[in-house]
Amino acid sequence: MKIIHTTYQYDDLARQLSGEKFDIFYHLGWAGVDGKEKNNISLQLSNIQTSLDMLHLSKFLKCNLFLAAGTVAEYVFNEHVIDFSKKQTPNDVYGATKTSVHYLLEAVAAQLEQDMIWAVLPSTYGEGRTEGNILTYTITTLLEGKCPEYGNLQSMWDFVYVTDVAKAIIKIGELGKHNRTYGIGSGTHQTLREYICTIRDLIDPKLPLGIGKIENSVGKTHHINILPSSCINIEPLTSDTGWKPVITFEEGIQRTIQYYKNTGMR
């Protein structure tokens, strides 16, 4: 994979945008978000300089707010709903790098006197997502007539449809309180098993699921007995911005299934 030097990108953007007027700088870019690249250390570390460059660019452009995207991968192990005041518990290099960038951006933003918000993005799904996350894997495998295999799927999870996530990010930038962390979620939580069974039933209730076929290994390196989780309390976000998700999982996943049927992507 070719990596373009981020300092050049920063300087080039600064020249192009100099003199323009902006209110909010949304930094959502990140290299290496799929399963194959999440533990590519050099690729993940390249995101740190890019993020710092974008923070400096937001200050150069005199933006009122710099909004950067975090991830639930920073907070993999929680007994229930994620508590953003507690220590992060990443389980891969991607989550650990996001955690590092969060602290670095907050420290540098304070030095620059630049207001910022950290928006923790959920497990996002929808049409067009092709990397091997569990929902895409389930849909494509079932559409091929094969039996997908999993661990015990007992973890509590929170999936949000892509358009709801995009609207939440916009609302946070416009109405969120500066220098805070907001989590984006669906407001409802289910086990991964329930989500996967919903997908199977929408495609064909008679299709088999290989639940329990794979040994669960997540968490062993942390020497803890807490299952991974991605459940988010959206009350602070709703209270401050008025945002609420409008697409149910059943509606959003039906759209996603239809996308894969129409495109023939397997």
Side-chain angles (χ1 to χ4, degrees):
M1 178 179 290
K2 181 180 180 181
I3 304 298
I4 301 173
H5 196 275
T6 54
T7 302
Y8 169 79
Q9 289 180 315
Y10 165 76
D11 291 341
D12 187 47
L13 279 171
R15 284 193 297 270
Q16 291 182 43
L17 301 176
S18 180
E20 299 285 342
K21 179 75 171 71
F22 301 98
D23 296 316
I24 306 167
F25 193 113
Y26 291 92
H27 173 48
L28 309 178
W30 195 271
V33 297
D34 64 20
K36 296 178 181 179
E37 299 290 2
K38 283 188 173 182
N39 288 304
N40 182 330
I41 294 177
S42 61
L43 180 59
Q44 293 300 329
L45 290 180
S46 71
N47 292 293
I48 294 178
Q49 187 61 57
T50 299
S51 298
L52 291 170
D53 283 349
M54 295 305 101
L55 174 61
H56 279 92
L57 180 57
S58 75
K59 182 65 177 180
F60 173 79
L61 296 173
K62 299 179 181 179
C63 295
N64 295 325
L65 174 68
F66 177 79
L67 186 150
T71 171
V72 289
E74 301 171 65
Y75 304 89
V76 175
F77 299 104
N78 324 261
E79 291 189 75
H80 299 292
V81 177
I82 293 172
D83 183 346
F84 295 122
S85 68
K86 291 187 176 180
K87 177 184 176 182
Q88 289 96 323
T89 54
N91 193 54
D92 54 26
V93 177
Y94 166 65
T97 308
K98 278 284 191 179
T99 298
S100 301
V101 166
H102 184 182
Y103 286 113
L104 280 167
L105 289 175
E106 285 188 337
V108 177
Q111 294 171 1
L112 295 175
E113 297 183 341
Q114 172 66 66
D115 284 337
M116 71 167 280
I117 290 176
W118 187 253
V120 178
L121 272 56
S123 295
T124 305
Y125 72 97
E127 302 93 321
R129 184 166 185 177
T130 57
E131 70 272 18
N133 62 87
I134 191 169
L135 300 189
T136 303
Y137 164 72
T138 299
I139 293 169
T140 56
T141 303
L142 290 174
L143 289 178
E144 289 174 348
K146 300 177 181 178
C147 178
E149 296 184 349
Y150 315 92
N152 59 27
L153 298 182
Q154 292 304 304
S155 297
M156 297 298 293
W157 223 256
D158 197 343
F159 291 102
V160 186
Y161 189 63
V162 61
T163 57
D164 277 334
V165 174
K167 290 174 182 177
I169 293 170
I170 293 170
K171 281 286 190 181
I172 292 171
E174 294 175 342
L175 299 172
K177 295 179 180 178
H178 292 189
N179 304 311
R180 290 191 63 178
T181 294
Y182 288 100
I184 301 171
S186 68
T188 61
H189 313 134
Q190 299 184 85
T191 63
L192 283 172
R193 183 188 185 102
E194 290 174 284
Y195 288 112
I196 297 307
C197 286
T198 296
I199 294 173
R200 186 272 312 276
D201 291 346
L202 288 170
I203 294 175
D204 183 346
K206 299 187 293 296
L207 291 173
L209 294 172
I211 298 174
K213 292 283 188 178
I214 299 175
E215 180 184 1
N216 289 314
S217 60
V218 176
K220 289 186 176 181
T221 57
H222 288 256
H223 305 290
I224 58 180
N225 294 316
I226 300 174
L227 287 171
S229 170
S230 79
C231 303
I232 291 177
N233 173 19
I234 64 172
E235 193 281 328
L237 172 57
T238 299
S239 177
D240 288 352
T241 71
W243 176 86
K244 290 182 180 180
V246 296
I247 306 297
T248 65
F249 181 76
E250 289 75 11
E251 180 182 354
I253 207 65
Q254 183 64 74
R255 294 182 187 180
T256 307
I257 292 169
Q258 194 59 48
Y259 166 82
Y260 285 105
K261 285 183 177 179
N262 292 341
T263 59
M265 297 180 69
R266 299 288 190 269

